Amino acid sequence: MASENMYELTYIISGVAQQNQVDDIVNSVNSFIRENGTLEYVDEWGNQRLAYEIDKKRSGYYVNLYFKAPGTVVPKLERQLQLNDQILRYMTLRMDAKMIRHYKRQTQSAADVAAEVAEDEA
């Protein structure tokens, strides 16, 4: 099996899409990644105003996720995103060592905060 790289994917779903359509798109992208790699973290930012119009739309539903997969998966995933008319833009980044260290620090600090909150509630 080919070596797995760490990736960050951010994509924007059309703001005029219904919530059930948004959920279906997010679930299909997540399941594709789970079938071909390891889904690390999904962060749905929700509806945001776009900096500029895309296809005459002023808002979009942002999703950011991190995953590990072989490099051959990325073109297939991007092709799937490109074919979906509800997805306005997407960007996939292969994370280098510095980005991975930053990501691990972020997740570690978030885990520390969650542990402190749990201790305070107990």
Side-chain angles (χ1 to χ4, degrees):
M1 183 174 173
S3 66
E4 290 191 341
N5 296 312
M6 182 81 167
Y7 294 96
E8 178 180 5
L9 170 66
T10 304
Y11 58 98
I12 307 170
I13 302 170
S14 173
V16 298
Q18 301 295 322
Q19 186 60 43
N20 61 346
Q21 291 174 311
V22 170
D23 294 339
D24 290 343
I25 292 169
V26 171
N27 289 335
S28 70
V29 171
N30 292 349
S31 65
F32 179 84
I33 292 171
R34 281 190 192 105
E35 290 169 6
N36 298 292
T38 306
L39 186 61
E40 296 286 324
Y41 180 71
V42 178
D43 187 13
E44 295 184 33
W45 297 344
N47 277 320
Q48 304 284 328
R49 182 172 166 82
L50 300 173
Y52 55 90
E53 277 190 12
I54 301 174
D55 297 334
K56 299 182 181 178
K57 294 174 180 68
R58 297 294 296 164
S59 67
Y61 189 89
Y62 284 71
V63 180
N64 186 42
L65 55 91
Y66 297 89
F67 65 98
K68 288 182 182 177
T72 57
V73 170
V74 175
K76 295 174 188 173
L77 174 62
E78 289 183 343
R79 179 67 178 158
Q80 215 181 38
L81 295 171
Q82 192 175 21
L83 290 174
N84 191 328
D85 292 335
Q86 294 294 330
I87 296 179
L88 301 177
R89 291 282 188 277
Y90 62 88
M91 182 172 64
T92 309
L93 299 174
R94 186 176 66 113
M95 298 174 72
D96 61 8
K98 186 176 181 180
M99 292 173 70
I100 291 172
R101 281 194 307 270
H102 177 72
Y103 169 73
K104 287 183 180 177
R105 257 186 265 130
Q106 275 186 313
T107 55
Q108 182 61 38
S109 63
D112 292 344
V113 169
E116 287 178 15
V117 169
E119 285 179 10
D120 291 342
E121 291 176 355

